[in-house]
Amino acid sequence: MTGRTVDEITGGRRMRRNRRFDWTRRLVRENTLSVDDLIWPIFLIPGENRSEDIKAMPGVERVTPDLAAKKAEQAAELGIPAIATFPNIDIALRDDTGSNVLAPDNLINEATRAIKKAVPEIGVITDVALDPFTSHGHDGILRDGVIVNDETVAQLAAAAVLQAEAGADIIAPSDMMDGRIGAIRDALNEAGFSDVGIMSYATKYASGFYGPYREAIGTQDLLKGDKRSYYIDPANSDEAVRDAALDVEEGADMLMVKPGLPYLDIVWRLKETFGMPTFAYQVSGEYSMIKAAAQNGWLDGERAMMESLLALKRAGCDGILTYFALEAAKLLRQP
Ligand code: PBG
């Protein structure tokens, strides 16, 4: 007995025709990654002309504000639109309430000033969560074992104004407290910063992929318990849409999903639902997995990097926060 021919099975339709040549593949390509899609997260340490390697993130370093300005110059030369800064605060300055976030000249604000002075044309996005500043590594104020919402929100709003005064273009609250977007919007407006934008970490998951970041900002030994009482349960997606809807109503200009690759479905749902500028944060664990496998010769690191970034675009991202930004930009820049 002979089966049907392939043309009988497909009715003559053959998907491989369009995949035959490089030029046909380029013609039918639906998504592309460009330098304009990249936001580069940078880790900060106090001092001058100093950098430190981060063991859990091969190729990523922490740098002093003067060197952060140099990195910003490099990024701008490659056409990267924006950088995002994350401070590793001196342990002596960390306390229960994260009070150093309210020091106008704290590390993150000092870095913003240095970067803006050196490279005014690059966008500076600052995170306004408390975790780099607290002695317990939580994103909010801890009282009797509870992360208190409203008091934290008031402090974040005040900190956002200081970050805007230092020159931040976009405030990106990553703390997941309720009501923070509206409170930050009000505070910015009252202080005369109605042009400063808010990129909401709208759907930030209680994820295991943040591990290397905690080494980067020195919270790995501080953090007691976990962040499940304020980040979203990885099992949930309707809840993510609802949370994002509140942020949109409260005045967010852009939405972010974090982590990235394990949450492509969330990127897709948010983009479909709100049509807002939508970003993903390819977090430290995602970066380090690719780097570590590449270092072991287990996969082609460049290829996996570019594929992961393209996948985020395909899912609906307008841009991606990624530790690969500089490397990817260099590749994209090659003729
Ligand atoms: C917390 C914060 C986190 C990251 C950035 N800000 C998560 C956390 O420590 O719980 C993670 C970034 C990364 O993993 O690359 N406000």
Side-chain angles (χ1 to χ4, degrees):
M1 204 185 90
T2 54
R4 291 178 297 164
T5 66
V6 167
D7 278 320
E8 281 164 359
I9 291 167
T10 65
R13 287 167 289 247
R14 287 184 178 253
M15 295 303 288
R16 291 184 55 188
R17 276 183 210 123
N18 290 345
R19 298 177 194 146
R20 245 178 116 196
F21 305 112
D22 178 64
W23 68 264
T24 49
R25 290 191 292 269
R26 282 190 287 126
L27 265 182
V28 302
R29 185 158 297 149
E30 298 172 43
N31 293 285
T32 51
L33 179 71
S34 96
V35 173
D36 293 336
D37 301 319
L38 303 172
I39 298 170
W40 192 22
I42 291 178
F43 294 110
L44 306 167
I45 46 174
E48 244 179 86
N49 197 23
R50 226 159 45 84
S51 68
E52 296 171 353
D53 289 339
I54 300 164
K55 271 215 301 288
M57 300 181 74
V60 178
E61 41 182 26
R62 309 178 190 93
V63 295
T64 50
D66 53 330
L67 297 187
K70 292 255 157 44
K71 283 188 184 287
E73 268 166 32
Q74 247 183 315
E77 274 165 25
L78 285 163
I80 294 172
I83 58 177
T85 51
F86 296 91
N88 185 322
I89 300 292
D90 188 341
I91 206 78
L93 294 174
R94 302 190 196 197
D95 60 22
D96 263 8
T97 62
S99 63
N100 185 251
V101 79
L102 295 177
D105 291 321
N106 63 16
L107 181 55
I108 192 164
N109 293 334
E110 185 195 339
T112 302
R113 289 194 172 92
I115 291 164
K116 274 290 164 182
K117 193 166 162 217
V119 204
E121 71 275 17
I122 203 161
V124 174
I125 302 175
T126 51
D127 186 344
V128 80
L130 297 185
D131 58 303
F133 301 93
T134 54
S135 48
H136 44 70
H138 279 290
D139 295 20
I141 297 170
L142 183 66
R143 295 213 188 280
D144 302 325
V146 175
I147 303 298
V148 290
N149 193 90
D150 301 15
E151 196 182 339
T152 299
V153 167
Q155 182 154 315
L156 294 175
V161 170
L162 297 172
Q163 294 184 354
E165 267 167 12
D169 301 288
I170 294 179
I171 306 294
S174 73
D175 54 285
M176 292 299 281
M177 297 300 118
D178 286 319
R180 79 229 197 268
I181 300 298
I184 291 171
R185 185 70 272 156
D186 289 353
L188 289 172
N189 291 355
E190 276 163 33
F193 295 110
S194 52
D195 290 336
V196 170
I198 300 178
M199 175 188 283
S200 168
Y201 284 68
T203 60
K204 182 168 185 185
Y205 282 88
S207 170
F209 289 97
Y210 306 143
Y213 168 88
R214 305 223 173 123
E215 183 204 321
I217 65 153
T219 56
Q220 83 273 35
D221 298 327
L222 302 177
L223 191 63
K224 304 267 177 323
D226 57 45
K227 302 191 176 185
R228 290 177 211 269
S229 79
Y230 44 105
Y231 292 176
I232 301 179
D233 184 339
N236 296 352
S237 100
D238 288 344
E239 181 185 336
V241 175
R242 235 184 113 213
D243 204 325
L246 291 171
D247 289 359
V248 173
E249 271 171 45
E250 289 175 29
D253 300 288
M254 304 167 170
L255 301 176
M256 189 212 295
V257 174
K258 182 178 180 181
L261 217 52
Y263 296 87
L264 292 183
D265 56 323
I266 308 301
V267 171
W268 178 260
R269 282 192 75 177
L270 294 200
K271 190 65 181 176
E272 288 282 294
T273 307
F274 304 107
M276 296 273 291
T278 304
F279 295 80
Y281 197 140
Q282 182 178 51
V283 300
S284 55
E286 298 177 72
Y287 170 87
S288 298
M289 285 194 302
I290 292 176
K291 276 285 171 194
Q295 282 185 345
N296 279 299
W298 295 339
L299 51 68
D300 176 341
E302 265 182 15
R303 193 168 165 190
M305 161 178 84
M306 296 311 262
E307 184 177 331
S308 63
L309 294 170
L310 183 61
L312 287 158
K313 288 276 323 243
R314 193 194 61 239
C317 282
D318 295 281
I320 302 143
L321 290 97
T322 175
Y323 302 102
F324 287 123
L326 208 71
E327 248 181 289
K330 284 180 186 161
L331 276 184
L332 290 166
R333 277 279 146 132
Q334 279 169 12

